[in-house]
Amino acid sequence: HVQLVESGGGSVQAGGSLRLSCVASEYTYSRYRIGWFRQAPGKEREGVAGVDSDGITSYADSVKGRFTISRDNAKNTLYLQLNSLKEEDSAMYYCAARPPKSGPWAPLRSDEYDYWGQGTQVTVS
């Protein structure tokens, strides 16, 4: 069972930046597909970005050009760099992980993932 712990959230003014981190407990993390999701009050959870074991990334249209997902497998850590933040980016941000499986992968679908962190809050004003 993989444990995921997010950090790096906070309050920032519009136009500012944050860097979120997600540390995984699983030493085979490098083979996992991993992603970031967010959920604002009263809204459904939405996929923000995903990265597979080969480093191929996917982004939601709403964050393309502003957010960057990356992974450091040596540290079992996933990152999300948030730039040019907008008020509508305010949400709880979650990282998620999917162990190696056969078949296609839809990186921005929450039901693709097996493990979830507790979240870190991002507030943009």
Side-chain angles (χ1 to χ4, degrees), residues 3 5 15 17 24 28 41 43 53-54 65 79 96 102 107-109 114:
Q3 291 184 322
V5 179
S17 298
T28 59
K43 295 187 177 181
S53 56
D54 295 323
Y79 301 100
S102 60
L108 302 182
R109 284 184 51 170
D114 298 290

Side-chain angles (χ1 to χ4, degrees), residues 23 27 29 41 47 51 60 75 78 83 85 122:
V23 179
Y27 74 98
Y29 184 67
V51 57
K75 297 181 179 179
L78 174 70
N83 295 330
L85 281 161
V122 171

Side-chain angles (χ1 to χ4, degrees), residues 14 22 27-29 33 64 70 89 91 94-95 106 113-116 121 123:
C22 172
Y27 74 98
T28 59
Y29 184 67
R33 289 166 166 165
K64 280 181 181 176
S70 62
D89 294 319
Y94 301 89
C95 67
Y113 295 85
D114 298 290
Y115 305 108
W116 292 82
Q121 179 69 40
T123 303

